[in-house]
Amino acid sequence: MGSFQVPTINVTTNNNLAVNVKNKLDESLLIHWSGVQQRRSSWQDGLLGTNCPIPPKWNWTYQFQVKDQIGSFFYFPSLHFQRASGGFGGFIINNRPIIPIPFATPDGDIVIMIGDWYTRNHTALRKTLDAGKGLGMPDGVLINGKGPYQYNSTLVPDGIEYETIDVHPGKTYRIRVHNVGISTSLNFRIQNHNLLLAESEGSYTVQQNYTSLDIHVGQSYSFLVTMDQNASSDYYIVASARFVNESQWKRVTGVAILHYSNSKGKAHGPLPEGPNDEFDKTFSMNQARSIRWNVSASGARPNPQGSFRYGSINVTEVYVLKNKPREMIDGKSRATLSGISFVNPSTPIRLADWYKLKGVYKLDFPTKPPTGPPRMETSVINGTYRGFMEVILQNNDTKMHTYHMSGYAFFVVGMDYGEWTENSRGTYNKWDGIARTTAQVYPGAWTAILVSLDNVGIWNLRTENLDSWYLGQETYVRVVNPEATNKTEFPIPDNALFCGALSHLQKPEDISAATAITGDRLKVMFTVLMAMWSMIFLSR
């Protein structure tokens, strides 16, 4: 499987960042900075609704500020099912020194990527989906791009490279865990060690100890883990599939090694057990409800600026978004959101707005699921600038979903089983619901989120389950300041790429100019060599 060498981007809040992406693939590419809010600059979000793809053999420089944010995020290629073949990396935004963190400074910082994995590459997987078939059971769960430690000689063959995390006794580490997989919820745990939850996707949490935590696709958490064991041996780090038949899925369990510097031997014995509720999701939902926002911690917070009593803000618009199992539309198996399977236009929505093109999309996304047959449309939510939107995510599918919204941190205020009704608002947490960018929705259940629409742009709202996203389960929220001033949105970048109806604006010399970086105002610069993951992962 090769080594896991995609770099972690490590910056400080309010830094300006330039990332030069060299596309050495044989297909177009975009990089999405999942959870990075791109304040006033949806131009840099790296999704088809906002950006033209970077063509093969070209490069392009993203330039943006990590404005008023802290926390643990990750980036990944957003087109063509490419995330299934790798190319993802951690994205850490640190607090400024003058702003205290609500815990002692850790002795080290560790990034762990977990996710389900198929030996077929992304091109083969998308052909399977295009043929109307499911992906089936994954071939494994990787931890930092590597297979399982041989904890069981029957289930795990010899010769598999596994991840080892080196630590020192008595030290406390901040361990940032990201589920970068395709569609499998994973339970994360470290043998004999408590996980003190401290942060999730940009928000400090009320600190609570967990022996294990369910981490759903696209979600990120920070744990403080103290190395307080006697190091008689190494310890298992485990990521195991949730809500599946455990006996069938044991062979895809991810196992890495936590190695103390004074360890006296290898890890041995059975793996630490995860939650024993294979088909009963009540435990997992109660665990999710227990994650609360630390309202007393200093640091970047989601708007509205200056007021964090979101429960007393008047809601201006309500959208009930319902998903279902795949449906046939025009002879194709598609995924839908409120009966609409999204079709990405050839000209990005944000570009169409800037150049006042007509007919690229429709501002007619329904506030409630329609009763008619499903359809394929480029239908977009018309958000109200400085409005306060309530979104109910209703999962009528048989599998777990997580939903992500670009451009914002939203408040997760409620979740429960059954159909959401107006009376469900009486169960909302109106004080310290966690503010984050990705929320799980259990099968046959709903999750309610509240979001303040103060960030102008075109913002993606999607399932993080890669197969359903690929098949159309997404839309965009269009937030426009009617005064149209540069104070609320940056103008189109000088190195913007053009495609679709605007292809004629693309000049060959723009490609070389796209790599030019004005270093005086940029504090941090990284280069992401996408050839790296194409060679490592796609040559399997």
Side-chain angles (χ1 to χ4, degrees):
M1 296 178 185
S3 58
F4 193 83
Q5 302 177 27
V6 178
T8 294
I9 295 178
N10 198 322
V11 295
T12 297
T13 187
N14 292 347
N15 274 169
N16 292 295
L17 179 68
V19 185
N20 180 234
V21 177
K22 299 181 179 180
N23 180 10
K24 295 188 178 182
L25 302 177
D26 59 0
E27 58 187 5
S28 58
L29 172 75
L30 280 174
I31 299 296
H32 175 55
W33 320 96
S34 187
V36 179
Q37 292 179 19
Q38 305 292 355
R39 305 294 301 177
R40 301 166 59 197
S41 187
S42 63
W43 302 107
Q44 307 292 329
D45 205 29
L47 295 166
L48 279 178
T50 52
N51 298 105
C52 291
I54 305 169
K57 316 309 177 189
W58 288 24
N59 59 16
W60 197 73
T61 298
Y62 292 86
Q63 299 186 55
F64 55 89
Q65 185 182 31
V66 287
K67 178 70 172 171
D68 295 335
Q69 280 190 272
I70 54 92
S72 308
F73 311 97
F74 66 96
Y75 63 90
F76 63 88
S78 63
L79 302 185
H80 309 309
F81 219 73
Q82 289 165 349
R83 191 173 87 192
S85 288
F88 35 74
F91 196 116
I92 298 171
I93 306 178
N94 301 289
N95 63 297
R96 287 176 289 166
I98 62 171
I99 300 177
I101 58 177
F103 44 82
T105 302
D107 297 298
D109 205 304
I110 298 168
V111 175
I112 296 181
M113 302 282 185
I114 60 176
D116 55 358
W117 188 262
Y118 293 82
T119 55
R120 291 169 287 165
N121 67 18
H122 69 281
T123 58
L125 291 173
R126 71 185 186 220
K127 286 179 182 177
T128 299
L129 294 174
D130 290 340
K133 301 176 183 178
L135 298 181
M137 184 174 169
D139 297 294
V141 170
L142 302 189
I143 298 180
N144 283 356
K146 299 176 184 178
Y149 172 80
Q150 193 180 33
Y151 69 96
N152 182 308
S153 59
T154 302
L155 294 172
V156 184
D158 289 327
I160 292 180
E161 184 181 6
Y162 58 87
E163 178 74 340
T164 298
I165 304 294
D166 293 318
V167 295
H168 295 283
K171 302 292 187 181
T172 296
Y173 295 83
R174 183 171 182 172
I175 300 181
R176 305 174 191 259
V177 187
H178 311 270
N179 186 336
V180 295
I182 294 174
S183 63
T184 305
S185 296
L186 298 172
N187 180 265
F188 180 81
R189 53 199 184 273
I190 301 177
Q191 184 181 25
N192 291 5
H193 290 73
N194 283 321
L195 306 173
L196 182 60
L197 182 63
E199 176 259 334
S200 177
E201 296 162 17
S203 292
Y204 293 125
T205 65
V206 173
Q207 293 176 26
Q208 301 180 79
N209 272 312
Y210 296 87
T211 55
S212 69
L213 190 71
D214 288 346
I215 304 178
H216 307 282
V217 179
Q219 290 188 329
S220 302
Y221 290 97
S222 278
F223 303 103
L224 299 175
V225 182
T226 299
M227 305 305 152
D228 54 5
Q229 299 301 299
N230 61 17
S232 59
S233 68
D234 294 342
Y235 297 93
Y236 295 125
I237 301 172
V238 181
S240 60
R242 294 285 279 128
F243 317 125
V244 296
N245 186 303
E246 292 178 3
S247 60
Q248 293 180 3
W249 282 65
K250 279 185 178 179
R251 68 175 178 82
V252 301
T253 301
V255 183
I257 292 299
L258 184 74
H259 174 71
Y260 278 54
S261 58
N262 63 341
S263 174
K264 298 178 178 63
K266 293 183 177 181
H268 60 275
L271 298 181
E273 292 188 1
N276 188 22
D277 65 339
E278 180 181 324
F279 298 111
D280 177 8
K281 303 167 189 66
T282 304
F283 171 87
S284 183
M285 183 180 285
N286 286 338
Q287 188 184 64
R289 288 168 171 161
S290 74
I291 299 170
R292 300 300 180 96
W293 191 30
N294 186 341
V295 296
S296 63
S298 299
R301 293 181 178 274
N303 285 340
Q305 296 278 359
S307 172
F308 311 118
R309 296 178 182 176
Y310 63 85
S312 62
I313 301 172
N314 291 328
V315 170
T316 58
E317 47 209 310
V318 180
Y319 279 83
V320 179
L321 307 182
K322 181 181 291 188
N323 75 335
K324 296 179 179 179
R326 294 179 200 165
E327 302 177 81
M328 296 300 295
I329 307 177
D330 298 333
K332 297 179 180 179
S333 177
R334 298 285 296 181
T336 60
L337 197 59
S338 289
I340 297 174
S341 186
F342 191 82
V343 178
N344 277 292
S346 58
T347 307
I349 298 166
R350 186 64 199 92
L351 270 180
D353 270 1
W354 187 264
Y355 286 93
K356 297 180 171 55
L357 299 182
K358 303 296 183 181
V360 173
Y361 63 92
K362 299 178 181 178
L363 277 175
D364 63 352
F365 199 92
T367 58
K368 296 181 179 180
T371 56
R375 64 187 193 273
M376 295 175 64
E377 293 275 3
T378 307
S379 181
V380 174
I381 292 174
N382 188 15
T384 302
Y385 177 56
R386 291 186 175 170
F388 197 57
M389 179 183 285
E390 178 183 19
V391 180
I392 291 87
L393 301 161
Q394 181 78 50
N395 184 1
N396 282 24
D397 201 348
T398 57
K399 63 180 182 179
M400 177 75 70
H401 278 267
T402 48
Y403 286 88
H404 175 91
M405 186 173 181
S406 292
Y408 299 96
F410 51 69
F411 301 98
V412 182
V413 295
M415 59 178 67
D416 205 349
Y417 289 101
E419 292 281 324
W420 180 89
T421 68
E422 301 279 342
N423 292 332
S424 301
R425 292 193 179 104
T427 68
Y428 283 6
N429 175 358
K430 294 187 176 182
W431 170 244
D432 62 354
I434 188 69
R436 62 185 311 167
T437 65
T438 309
Q440 71 267 44
V441 192
Y442 293 84
W446 56 267
T447 295
I449 64 175
L450 297 174
V451 57
S452 176
L453 300 180
D454 65 338
N455 192 14
V456 170
I458 305 294
W459 305 110
N460 191 234
L461 177 58
R462 64 176 183 272
T463 178
E464 280 284 13
N465 297 47
L466 199 56
D467 49 353
S468 296
W469 181 15
Y470 176 78
L471 293 173
Q473 197 172 109
E474 65 174 323
T475 186
Y476 283 82
V477 180
R478 180 179 180 266
V479 182
V480 174
N481 181 355
E483 297 178 4
T485 69
N486 286 343
K487 292 182 179 179
T488 54
E489 186 182 27
F490 294 124
I492 187 171
D494 293 339
N495 64 343
L497 298 175
F498 295 97
C499 54
L502 299 171
S503 297
H504 62 283
L505 298 178
Q506 184 66 59
K507 299 177 181 178
E509 57 266 29
D510 288 345
I511 310 315
S512 58
T515 64
I517 300 172
T518 54
D520 290 343
R521 72 178 188 87
L522 296 169
K523 298 179 182 178
V524 185
M525 182 179 73
F526 289 90
T527 297
V528 178
L529 296 176
M530 300 314 297
M532 175 169 56
W533 67 272
S534 66
M535 291 186 294
I536 292 172
F537 293 104
L538 303 189
S539 60
R540 297 192 308 275

